[in-house]
Amino acid sequence: MRNLKKFLALVLAMMMTLSLMVTVNASSFKDDDDITAVYGEAIDVLTELGVVKGYGEDDPNEVAAIMYRIVTGDVNDANVHLYKYDSEFTDVNSDNWFAPYVNFCANNELVKGRGNGKFDPKANITGYEALVMILRAIGYNNPSEFTNPSTWRTKASGYGMKHGLTENIQEGSLGAFATREVVAEIMFKGLQAPMQNYSILTNYTTDLLVDASEINAQY
């Protein structure tokens, strides 16, 4: 996931650029008027970078597309076709528009599906599920992480609070279907969190080589 460091630099540069503008109106979606002001920066930056392109709420397929663009930096989807036929889920077919994005996320263990070889592409995604995806991308990838049905939400919430990913999200709302603004906020803050290294001996340690604070100091 080293591309996240490069993408973070783009995010920070875009944040700086937008902060110099008198009026920021990067997004142009039909629900702009419903976007909470505190999430405006996340929406504007990720939209301007081409990560968020506009989609319906609660859609796991679109969140997979967002994750693909963030992790690879391929915001123009130029290479996504390479993952079209490499599906791990029986309900994701190669002719589905979302297949390459879902396949990429599955192959990189960012998503695990709903069990029994199913991704459930028609389901809604919750804030917890979106949070787990970005946490895995920044290094919370212990194979047994987020697998316990009774504790995974609590663990995800704890990591999210630790790194400020959910500081602007109303307490208790992560279990609800995730709106576009909530997904954007979680991904935006996740990009600025320090990368983690997992080891069976030390569990998680911060990768100081890709700590967002070091890159922040350059801007």
Side-chain angles (χ1 to χ4, degrees):
M1 302 300 175
R2 295 290 175 173
N3 283 336
L4 285 177
K5 180 179 179 181
K6 297 178 181 179
F7 201 81
L8 172 58
L10 294 177
V11 168
L12 295 173
M14 185 58 63
M15 289 169 62
M16 184 175 182
T17 299
L18 293 180
S19 70
L20 298 176
M21 298 172 64
V22 177
T23 302
V24 177
N25 188 27
S27 58
S28 57
F29 305 118
K30 63 182 180 180
D31 62 345
D32 279 353
D33 293 339
D34 298 327
I35 294 175
T36 307
V38 73
Y39 301 143
E41 184 178 38
I43 288 288
D44 285 334
V45 171
L46 296 186
T47 300
E48 192 70 13
L49 288 172
V51 173
V52 174
K53 300 182 184 294
Y55 64 99
E57 297 177 350
D58 320 331
D59 191 335
N61 309 308
E62 292 288 356
V63 178
I66 289 173
M67 285 301 305
Y68 166 81
R69 295 171 190 136
I70 285 176
V71 172
T72 65
D74 181 19
V75 295
N76 296 316
D77 300 332
N79 298 313
V80 71
H81 64 281
L82 298 175
Y83 306 95
K84 183 176 181 179
Y85 299 103
D86 194 16
S87 181
E88 296 187 12
F89 302 113
T90 59
D91 55 354
V92 176
N93 301 316
S94 60
D95 57 348
N96 295 136
W97 72 264
F98 52 81
Y101 304 104
V102 173
N103 294 342
F104 172 85
C105 289
N107 293 339
N108 286 277
E109 299 187 340
L110 303 177
V111 297
K112 304 288 187 179
R114 293 290 173 85
N116 298 318
K118 303 287 186 180
F119 178 69
D120 201 4
K122 295 182 180 180
N124 295 313
I125 191 169
T126 67
Y128 281 119
E129 291 169 331
L131 178 59
V132 165
M133 291 173 72
I134 193 64
L135 285 172
R136 285 173 174 152
I138 66 174
Y140 285 99
N141 48 24
N142 179 336
S144 63
E145 200 74 274
F146 313 123
T147 58
N148 189 313
S150 62
T151 63
W152 74 268
R153 295 173 184 83
T154 301
K155 295 189 74 173
S157 179
Y159 291 137
M161 289 189 291
K162 176 181 179 180
H163 296 299
L165 276 62
T166 57
E167 61 182 352
N168 292 326
I169 298 175
Q170 186 176 357
E171 186 175 358
S173 65
L174 287 174
F177 299 143
T179 61
R180 175 165 59 88
E181 62 179 9
V182 167
V183 171
E185 176 71 8
I186 290 172
M187 300 303 174
F188 180 64
K189 289 296 180 62
L191 277 167
Q192 300 172 67
M195 296 290 292
Q196 303 295 310
N197 284 323
Y198 169 72
S199 165
I200 194 171
L201 297 177
T202 61
N203 200 26
Y204 295 114
T205 56
T206 299
D207 186 345
L208 297 178
L209 294 177
V210 290
D211 192 328
S213 63
E214 295 181 0
I215 301 178
N216 270 310
Q218 302 176 23
Y219 293 86

